[in-house]
Amino acid sequence: ISAGGARDAPVEIAGLCLKKGLAPLAAVFLHGLMTGSPDLRETSAAALGEAIGFTSAAALGPFVVQITGPLIRIVGDRFPWGVKAAILQTLKLLIGKGAMLLKPFVPQLQTTFVKALADPTKTVRLRGAAALSALVALSTRIEPLTSDLTNSLASAEPGVAYATLVALAGVLRNMPKPLSDATLDRVKAAAVEKLLVEDEQVDVAAASLVGACAKWCDVPTLLESVETAVEKGDEWKGQLAELRVHLSLLRTLPASECRPIFPSLMSSAEAAATADRIELRQPATHALARVAAAMAEPHPDDVDELGVEEAARVAAAAVPAQLLSALGTTLLDRALDVRQSAVHAVKTLARLRPSLFNGNGVNLPSQIIANLATACQDKRNTLLQNAAQRSMMHVVAACGWGTPDKVPRGAALPTEASIYCADFLRRSAKRIAAMDSEAEDSDTEAA
């Protein structure tokens, strides 16, 4: 269906976008959802969600009310977790496609999604969190919702606490207006308190929530509270908690808001990249990439004065060489998990900031390219090699090397790396570009 389309672009089927084009499928799937066995209900809910995804918002409009009511009724009954998970996913798709038409259902949906956060099954909890994050843009009672979720953290067991923190982070990132200072302070305090608990998922989700809070408060003050809190734990655990918070800030805030704290972000990432513990070096790869991408983002004033391309070149040229060198070094780390994270981090950097690679008045990050080429040829681990080759595909695209003869030789790039890149373009690049990428969550927020 999506052949020839841009990767990740919305895909619509022409027949479903006609007036009443969805009607026959909706009737069949709703019948299965309301009268079938548990397995049939799950399949019907998933199929309905898939059909919604292929339907335009305009064509979906007349069916929103007809579809939403049964979904809410069934998800509240005692059915297996698979039925609930499929329905929650479909409701989230409905919110994305038919948002304003769902306004009358917001109170019921909010109650449904909050209830899902305490479900015994992790998949249901996380889909409830994702749906609640999407719904908040329509909600008019964000303050009570946030307060209730924050209060529930005090007595929640780790699995529920994780889902609740994920939901809160999504709410804060997507809500259209700020909370009161008192409520925001309570959310910040609850998130900071969870940074050092003995559960890695909860730690990560708490850091994500701290980063989400940064969208609505003074960042230096927020970081001071984090530094004070992490001093109570082991040194390396405190360092890890700070690094996770920094990563969340970099993913949440525009570069312009991170500029005052660039030195501390860079210092934290570089220190973690050379630490003895793998637990620090692994997230450090993504922190280095994210700091470099933020530093290379052109300042709006420069864009107005110099134009987009020249402003991007100036910003990329200002990124410290030691930052890119540190990222390149992690590609040869002694630990496989760190190398795996590093190749994904390089891919993220090439996609976010191709200006660092295109050589337009900017020195090529030759160490990154050379070490990535080494990873591409490492046959000891197929997963690492495949991930490295996919990252290389993004790197050569960012460099603008469409054909082998475009690859530089000499001082710009070591000979062995140059030969490999030319051969990669000749033999592998098109094949890899045509393949669907595996799911990669190594550089995403807790979800």
Side-chain angles (χ1 to χ4, degrees), residues 143 146-148 150-151 180-191:
E143 194 93 16
T146 308
S147 294
D148 290 345
T150 305
N151 291 339
S180 67
D181 291 342
T183 301
L184 184 59
D185 286 343
R186 289 178 56 239
V187 174
K188 286 189 291 185

Side-chain angles (χ1 to χ4, degrees), residues 67-90:
I67 292 172
T68 306
L71 288 173
I72 294 175
R73 286 197 301 276
I74 299 299
V75 79
D77 287 342
R78 295 187 176 183
F79 286 107
W81 70 267
V83 177
K84 295 180 180 180
I87 290 175
L88 289 168
Q89 180 69 11
T90 299

Side-chain angles (χ1 to χ4, degrees), residues 226-279:
V226 171
E227 290 173 10
T228 302
V230 300
E231 287 175 357
K232 301 173 185 177
D234 296 339
E235 182 179 354
W236 77 269
K237 289 184 178 179
Q239 189 179 356
L240 178 59
E242 277 196 271
L243 186 65
R244 286 170 172 164
V245 168
H246 292 171
L247 261 172
S248 185
L249 291 175
L250 288 163
R251 293 172 181 136
T252 301
L253 300 176
S256 57
E257 294 184 30
C258 291
R259 277 194 173 83
I261 57 171
F262 274 162
S264 63
L265 296 178
M266 180 174 164
S267 174
S268 170
E270 288 180 335
T274 57
D276 290 334
R277 302 192 70 99
I278 294 176
E279 295 95 332

Side-chain angles (χ1 to χ4, degrees), residues 95-138:
I95 293 168
K97 284 286 182 85
M100 296 313 296
L101 294 172
L102 285 169
K103 275 278 190 181
F105 294 99
V106 167
Q108 292 171 276
L109 289 170
Q110 186 167 299
T111 300
T112 298
F113 299 156
V114 170
K115 183 179 178 182
L117 298 178
D119 192 89
T121 306
K122 181 180 178 180
T123 302
V124 174
R125 293 196 298 267
L126 293 185
R127 289 196 177 176
L132 190 59
S133 301
L135 182 69
V136 72
L138 302 177

Side-chain angles (χ1 to χ4, degrees), residues 259 292-293 295-299 302-303 306-320 324 352-364:
R259 277 194 173 83
M295 286 183 165
E297 182 174 316
H299 194 283
D302 291 339
V303 173
L306 304 174
V308 175
E309 289 189 10
E310 179 63 13
R313 187 196 67 77
V314 170
V319 175
L324 299 176
L352 289 176
R353 209 65 63 214
S355 56
L356 284 169
F357 292 85
N358 62 23
N360 182 20
V362 180
N363 291 329
L364 278 175

